[in-house]
Amino acid sequence: MADRRSPLPDRAAARDAGLRRVRWANRALAVGAVALAIAFSAVAATALPGSSRASRVARGPIAEAPRAAGVRGPMAPDPSAQGSTPPDAQAAAPPPQAPAAPPVPPPVTAPS
């Protein structure tokens, strides 16, 4: 009888080779995506305005002064301002009330 080899080992080898190619492609795509993300962030960092550590250091110690206690904004309140409410009083005030709803008109009935 003729020696007939089963096609199963050839198919398995082809499958394994295909899986290796897919695995390599996935890794290459992941590395490429990370590289593109780094490149885009570097371009955006140089193109868009903003602050950096170098610009804060260049401005000197005034920019690094501590903020007043309880103030969460970028600027401390002006102590020379007369009659202004303290930030704690503003936070404790209730929100303004919504306007009242207009009255609903009575239903229209047909004359009898």
Side-chain angles (χ1 to χ4, degrees), residues 84-95:
S84 64
T85 57
D88 294 338
Q90 291 174 353

Side-chain angles (χ1 to χ4, degrees), residues 37-89:
I38 291 171
F40 286 144
S41 66
V43 168
T46 58
L48 299 176
S51 64
S52 66
R53 180 157 167 58
S55 66
R56 283 195 300 262
V57 171
R59 285 187 273 173
I62 295 174
E64 299 297 326
R67 294 182 181 157
V71 177
R72 295 184 182 190
M75 296 173 35
D78 184 13
S80 65
Q82 298 294 328
S84 64
T85 57
D88 294 338

